[in-house]
Structures are given as C-alpha cells and as structure tokens.
Short mmCIF file of all heavy atoms in Angstrom, two decimals:
data_model
loop_
_atom_site.label_atom_id
_atom_site.label_comp_id
_atom_site.label_asym_id
_atom_site.label_seq_id
_atom_site.Cartn_x
_atom_site.Cartn_y
_atom_site.Cartn_z
N PRO U 441 0.83 -1.22 0.00
CA PRO U 441 0.00 0.00 0.00
C PRO U 441 0.86 1.26 0.00
O PRO U 441 1.99 1.28 0.50
CB PRO U 441 -0.82 -0.11 1.30
CG PRO U 441 -0.78 -1.56 1.65
CD PRO U 441 0.54 -2.08 1.16
N ALA U 442 0.28 2.33 -0.53
CA ALA U 442 1.01 3.59 -0.66
C ALA U 442 1.45 4.13 0.70
O ALA U 442 2.56 4.66 0.83
CB ALA U 442 0.13 4.62 -1.38
N TRP U 443 0.60 3.98 1.73
CA TRP U 443 0.96 4.55 3.03
C TRP U 443 2.17 3.84 3.63
O TRP U 443 2.98 4.46 4.34
CB TRP U 443 -0.23 4.50 3.99
CG TRP U 443 -0.60 3.13 4.48
CD1 TRP U 443 -1.50 2.26 3.94
CD2 TRP U 443 -0.06 2.47 5.64
NE1 TRP U 443 -1.55 1.11 4.67
CE2 TRP U 443 -0.69 1.21 5.73
CE3 TRP U 443 0.89 2.82 6.60
CZ2 TRP U 443 -0.40 0.30 6.74
CZ3 TRP U 443 1.19 1.92 7.61
CH2 TRP U 443 0.54 0.68 7.68
N VAL U 444 2.32 2.55 3.34
CA VAL U 444 3.48 1.82 3.85
C VAL U 444 4.75 2.31 3.16
O VAL U 444 5.78 2.53 3.81
CB VAL U 444 3.29 0.30 3.65
CG1 VAL U 444 4.56 -0.46 4.05
CG2 VAL U 444 2.10 -0.20 4.44
N ILE U 445 4.69 2.47 1.84
CA ILE U 445 5.86 2.97 1.09
C ILE U 445 6.27 4.34 1.62
O ILE U 445 7.45 4.61 1.85
CB ILE U 445 5.53 3.05 -0.41
CG1 ILE U 445 5.23 1.65 -0.97
CG2 ILE U 445 6.69 3.68 -1.17
CD1 ILE U 445 6.40 0.71 -0.97
N ALA U 446 5.29 5.23 1.80
CA ALA U 446 5.59 6.58 2.28
C ALA U 446 6.20 6.54 3.67
O ALA U 446 7.20 7.23 3.94
CB ALA U 446 4.32 7.43 2.28
N ALA U 447 5.63 5.73 4.56
CA ALA U 447 6.15 5.67 5.93
C ALA U 447 7.58 5.14 5.96
O ALA U 447 8.43 5.67 6.69
CB ALA U 447 5.23 4.78 6.78
N VAL U 448 7.86 4.13 5.14
CA VAL U 448 9.20 3.55 5.12
C VAL U 448 10.22 4.55 4.56
O VAL U 448 11.30 4.75 5.14
CB VAL U 448 9.21 2.25 4.30
CG1 VAL U 448 10.64 1.78 4.04
CG2 VAL U 448 8.42 1.17 5.02
N LEU U 449 9.90 5.18 3.44
CA LEU U 449 10.85 6.11 2.82
C LEU U 449 11.11 7.32 3.71
O LEU U 449 12.25 7.76 3.86
CB LEU U 449 10.33 6.56 1.46
CG LEU U 449 10.31 5.48 0.36
CD1 LEU U 449 9.83 6.07 -0.96
CD2 LEU U 449 11.69 4.86 0.19
N VAL U 450 10.05 7.87 4.30
CA VAL U 450 10.23 9.02 5.19
C VAL U 450 11.04 8.61 6.42
O VAL U 450 11.97 9.31 6.84
CB VAL U 450 8.87 9.60 5.62
CG1 VAL U 450 9.05 10.64 6.72
CG2 VAL U 450 8.17 10.23 4.43
N GLY U 451 10.72 7.45 7.00
CA GLY U 451 11.44 6.98 8.17
C GLY U 451 12.92 6.78 7.90
O GLY U 451 13.78 7.20 8.68
N ILE U 452 13.24 6.13 6.78
CA ILE U 452 14.64 5.88 6.43
C ILE U 452 15.39 7.20 6.22
O ILE U 452 16.52 7.38 6.69
CB ILE U 452 14.74 4.99 5.18
CG1 ILE U 452 14.28 3.57 5.51
CG2 ILE U 452 16.16 4.97 4.63
CD1 ILE U 452 14.23 2.65 4.31
N ASP U 453 14.75 8.13 5.52
CA ASP U 453 15.39 9.41 5.25
C ASP U 453 15.67 10.18 6.54
O ASP U 453 16.75 10.76 6.72
CB ASP U 453 14.52 10.24 4.30
CG ASP U 453 15.31 10.83 3.15
OD1 ASP U 453 16.38 10.27 2.84
OD2 ASP U 453 14.88 11.84 2.59
N LEU U 454 14.69 10.21 7.44
CA LEU U 454 14.88 10.94 8.69
C LEU U 454 15.95 10.29 9.56
O LEU U 454 16.76 10.98 10.20
CB LEU U 454 13.55 11.02 9.46
CG LEU U 454 12.42 11.78 8.77
CD1 LEU U 454 11.21 11.89 9.68
CD2 LEU U 454 12.88 13.18 8.33
N LEU U 455 15.99 8.96 9.59
CA LEU U 455 17.04 8.28 10.35
C LEU U 455 18.42 8.57 9.77
O LEU U 455 19.40 8.75 10.51
CB LEU U 455 16.77 6.77 10.36
CG LEU U 455 15.57 6.30 11.20
CD1 LEU U 455 15.34 4.82 11.01
CD2 LEU U 455 15.77 6.63 12.67
N ARG U 456 18.50 8.60 8.44
CA ARG U 456 19.80 8.91 7.79
C ARG U 456 20.28 10.30 8.15
O ARG U 456 21.45 10.51 8.50
CB ARG U 456 19.65 8.78 6.27
CG ARG U 456 20.89 9.21 5.48
CD ARG U 456 20.64 9.09 3.99
NE ARG U 456 19.56 9.95 3.55
CZ ARG U 456 19.72 11.26 3.26
NH1 ARG U 456 20.92 11.83 3.42
NH2 ARG U 456 18.70 11.97 2.84
N LEU U 457 19.37 11.28 8.11
CA LEU U 457 19.75 12.65 8.42
C LEU U 457 20.10 12.81 9.89
O LEU U 457 21.02 13.57 10.24
CB LEU U 457 18.60 13.60 8.04
CG LEU U 457 18.31 13.69 6.54
CD1 LEU U 457 17.05 14.50 6.28
CD2 LEU U 457 19.49 14.33 5.80
N LEU U 458 19.40 12.09 10.76
CA LEU U 458 19.76 12.12 12.18
C LEU U 458 21.14 11.54 12.39
O LEU U 458 21.95 12.07 13.15
CB LEU U 458 18.72 11.36 12.99
CG LEU U 458 17.43 12.09 13.37
CD1 LEU U 458 16.44 11.13 14.02
CD2 LEU U 458 17.73 13.27 14.29
N GLY U 459 21.42 10.41 11.74
CA GLY U 459 22.72 9.79 11.88
C GLY U 459 23.85 10.66 11.36
O GLY U 459 24.96 10.66 11.92
N ASP U 460 23.58 11.41 10.31
CA ASP U 460 24.59 12.31 9.74
C ASP U 460 24.69 13.62 10.50
O ASP U 460 25.52 14.47 10.16
CB ASP U 460 24.27 12.61 8.28
CG ASP U 460 24.40 11.39 7.39
OD1 ASP U 460 25.08 10.42 7.81
OD2 ASP U 460 23.84 11.39 6.28
N ARG U 461 23.81 13.80 11.52
CA ARG U 461 23.73 15.05 12.28
C ARG U 461 23.49 16.25 11.35
O ARG U 461 23.95 17.36 11.60
CB ARG U 461 25.00 15.27 13.10
CG ARG U 461 25.31 14.14 14.07
CD ARG U 461 24.20 13.97 15.10
NE ARG U 461 24.53 12.97 16.10
CZ ARG U 461 24.10 11.70 16.08
NH1 ARG U 461 23.35 11.27 15.05
NH2 ARG U 461 24.43 10.86 17.03
N ALA U 462 22.75 15.98 10.28
CA ALA U 462 22.40 17.05 9.32
C ALA U 462 21.06 17.66 9.75
O ALA U 462 20.03 17.48 9.10
CB ALA U 462 22.32 16.48 7.90
N TYR U 463 21.09 18.38 10.86
CA TYR U 463 19.86 18.87 11.46
C TYR U 463 19.15 19.91 10.60
O TYR U 463 17.93 20.00 10.59
CB TYR U 463 20.15 19.43 12.84
CG TYR U 463 20.73 18.41 13.80
CD1 TYR U 463 22.01 18.57 14.33
CD2 TYR U 463 20.01 17.27 14.13
CE1 TYR U 463 22.55 17.63 15.19
CE2 TYR U 463 20.55 16.31 14.99
CZ TYR U 463 21.82 16.50 15.52
OH TYR U 463 22.35 15.55 16.36
N GLY U 464 19.92 20.70 9.88
CA GLY U 464 19.31 21.70 9.00
C GLY U 464 18.49 21.05 7.89
O GLY U 464 17.35 21.44 7.63
N ILE U 465 19.06 20.04 7.24
CA ILE U 465 18.36 19.36 6.15
C ILE U 465 17.22 18.51 6.71
O ILE U 465 16.18 18.34 6.04
CB ILE U 465 19.35 18.49 5.35
CG1 ILE U 465 20.56 19.33 4.93
CG2 ILE U 465 18.67 17.92 4.11
CD1 ILE U 465 20.20 20.62 4.22
N LEU U 466 17.38 17.99 7.92
CA LEU U 466 16.30 17.26 8.57
C LEU U 466 15.10 18.18 8.78
O LEU U 466 13.95 17.82 8.46
CB LEU U 466 16.77 16.71 9.91
CG LEU U 466 15.71 16.04 10.80
CD1 LEU U 466 15.18 14.78 10.14
CD2 LEU U 466 16.29 15.72 12.17
N LEU U 467 15.36 19.39 9.29
CA LEU U 467 14.28 20.36 9.48
C LEU U 467 13.68 20.77 8.14
O LEU U 467 12.46 20.95 8.03
CB LEU U 467 14.82 21.59 10.22
CG LEU U 467 13.83 22.72 10.49
CD1 LEU U 467 12.67 22.23 11.35
CD2 LEU U 467 14.53 23.90 11.16
N LEU U 468 14.53 20.87 7.11
CA LEU U 468 14.04 21.23 5.78
C LEU U 468 13.06 20.17 5.26
O LEU U 468 11.98 20.50 4.76
CB LEU U 468 15.21 21.38 4.82
CG LEU U 468 14.85 21.67 3.35
CD1 LEU U 468 14.32 23.09 3.20
CD2 LEU U 468 16.04 21.44 2.43
N GLU U 469 13.42 18.90 5.39
CA GLU U 469 12.55 17.84 4.88
C GLU U 469 11.23 17.79 5.65
O GLU U 469 10.16 17.61 5.03
CB GLU U 469 13.25 16.48 4.95
CG GLU U 469 12.41 15.35 4.39
CD GLU U 469 13.24 14.14 4.00
OE1 GLU U 469 14.38 14.33 3.52
OE2 GLU U 469 12.75 13.01 4.17
N ILE U 470 11.28 17.93 6.96
CA ILE U 470 10.04 17.96 7.74
C ILE U 470 9.17 19.13 7.30
O ILE U 470 7.95 19.01 7.15
CB ILE U 470 10.36 18.04 9.24
CG1 ILE U 470 11.04 16.75 9.69
CG2 ILE U 470 9.08 18.28 10.05
CD1 ILE U 470 11.53 16.78 11.13
N GLY U 471 9.81 20.29 7.07
CA GLY U 471 9.07 21.46 6.61
C GLY U 471 8.43 21.25 5.25
O GLY U 471 7.30 21.68 5.02
N VAL U 472 9.15 20.59 4.35
CA VAL U 472 8.61 20.30 3.02
C VAL U 472 7.36 19.43 3.14
O VAL U 472 6.35 19.67 2.46
CB VAL U 472 9.68 19.61 2.14
CG1 VAL U 472 9.05 19.01 0.89
CG2 VAL U 472 10.75 20.61 1.74
N ILE U 473 7.41 18.42 4.00
CA ILE U 473 6.26 17.53 4.17
C ILE U 473 5.07 18.29 4.75
O ILE U 473 3.93 18.15 4.29
CB ILE U 473 6.63 16.34 5.07
CG1 ILE U 473 7.67 15.46 4.37
CG2 ILE U 473 5.40 15.53 5.44
CD1 ILE U 473 8.24 14.35 5.23
N VAL U 474 5.31 19.13 5.75
CA VAL U 474 4.23 19.90 6.38
C VAL U 474 3.59 20.85 5.37
O VAL U 474 2.36 20.92 5.26
CB VAL U 474 4.76 20.67 7.60
CG1 VAL U 474 3.70 21.65 8.12
CG2 VAL U 474 5.17 19.71 8.70
N VAL U 475 4.41 21.58 4.63
CA VAL U 475 3.87 22.52 3.64
C VAL U 475 3.11 21.77 2.55
O VAL U 475 2.06 22.22 2.08
CB VAL U 475 5.01 23.36 3.02
CG1 VAL U 475 4.49 24.20 1.86
CG2 VAL U 475 5.63 24.27 4.08
N ALA U 476 3.62 20.60 2.14
CA ALA U 476 2.94 19.80 1.12
C ALA U 476 1.55 19.38 1.58
O ALA U 476 0.57 19.49 0.83
CB ALA U 476 3.77 18.56 0.77
N VAL U 477 1.44 18.92 2.82
CA VAL U 477 0.15 18.45 3.35
C VAL U 477 -0.82 19.62 3.50
O VAL U 477 -1.98 19.53 3.09
CB VAL U 477 0.36 17.72 4.69
CG1 VAL U 477 -0.98 17.43 5.36
CG2 VAL U 477 1.13 16.43 4.47
N VAL U 478 -0.36 20.71 4.10
CA VAL U 478 -1.24 21.87 4.29
C VAL U 478 -1.66 22.46 2.94
O VAL U 478 -2.83 22.78 2.72
CB VAL U 478 -0.55 22.94 5.16
CG1 VAL U 478 -1.40 24.20 5.24
CG2 VAL U 478 -0.29 22.40 6.56
N GLY U 479 -0.70 22.58 2.02
CA GLY U 479 -1.02 23.12 0.71
C GLY U 479 -2.00 22.25 -0.06
O GLY U 479 -2.93 22.75 -0.70
N ALA U 480 -1.81 20.94 0.02
CA ALA U 480 -2.75 20.02 -0.65
C ALA U 480 -4.14 20.14 -0.07
O ALA U 480 -5.14 20.09 -0.80
CB ALA U 480 -2.24 18.58 -0.53
N ARG U 481 -4.22 20.33 1.25
CA ARG U 481 -5.54 20.49 1.88
C ARG U 481 -6.21 21.77 1.41
O ARG U 481 -7.41 21.80 1.15
CB ARG U 481 -5.39 20.49 3.41
CG ARG U 481 -6.73 20.57 4.14
CD ARG U 481 -7.52 19.29 3.96
NE ARG U 481 -8.86 19.40 4.51
CZ ARG U 481 -9.94 19.78 3.84
NH1 ARG U 481 -9.83 20.07 2.54
NH2 ARG U 481 -11.12 19.85 4.41
N VAL U 482 -5.44 22.85 1.31
CA VAL U 482 -5.98 24.12 0.83
C VAL U 482 -6.50 23.98 -0.59
O VAL U 482 -7.54 24.57 -0.95
CB VAL U 482 -4.91 25.22 0.91
CG1 VAL U 482 -5.37 26.50 0.20
CG2 VAL U 482 -4.57 25.54 2.36
N PHE U 483 -5.83 23.19 -1.41
CA PHE U 483 -6.21 23.03 -2.81
C PHE U 483 -7.24 21.92 -3.02
O PHE U 483 -7.48 21.50 -4.15
CB PHE U 483 -4.97 22.75 -3.65
CG PHE U 483 -4.08 23.95 -3.81
CD1 PHE U 483 -2.71 23.80 -3.98
CD2 PHE U 483 -4.59 25.23 -3.77
CE1 PHE U 483 -1.88 24.89 -4.12
CE2 PHE U 483 -3.77 26.33 -3.91
CZ PHE U 483 -2.41 26.17 -4.09
#
C-alpha cells in the first residue's frame, strides 16, 4: 500500500539525516512535508 511505502521512505530518510547530524536538512525535509500536506488540503 502507498501509506506503507511513504512511511518507510520518510522513516529511512529521517534516520539517515539524524545519523549524519544534518539537522538543518532534517528540518528542511520535515518542513517540506508539512507545507505539502497543508497546501494540498488548501487546494
């Protein structure tokens, strides 16, 4: 299912960024997801 694919890819990406201590890019990716969800709801 699509929700499983999304959960796995997001989880792996966030774990990778945490491991790399790339906190700026981690915050960027979380922000992209939040804006995407809110924007899609508005539209």
Side-chain angles (χ1 to χ4, degrees):
W443 71 268
V444 174
I445 297 293
V448 169
L449 291 183
V450 171
I452 290 175
D453 227 24
L454 297 185
L455 290 174
R456 174 182 62 83
L457 294 172
L458 278 173
D460 293 341
R461 303 298 185 262
Y463 299 118
I465 309 307
L466 174 65
L467 180 60
L468 176 72
E469 182 159 324
I470 294 174
V472 167
I473 294 173
V474 171
V475 173
V477 171
V478 174
R481 183 69 187 92
V482 170
F483 289 150

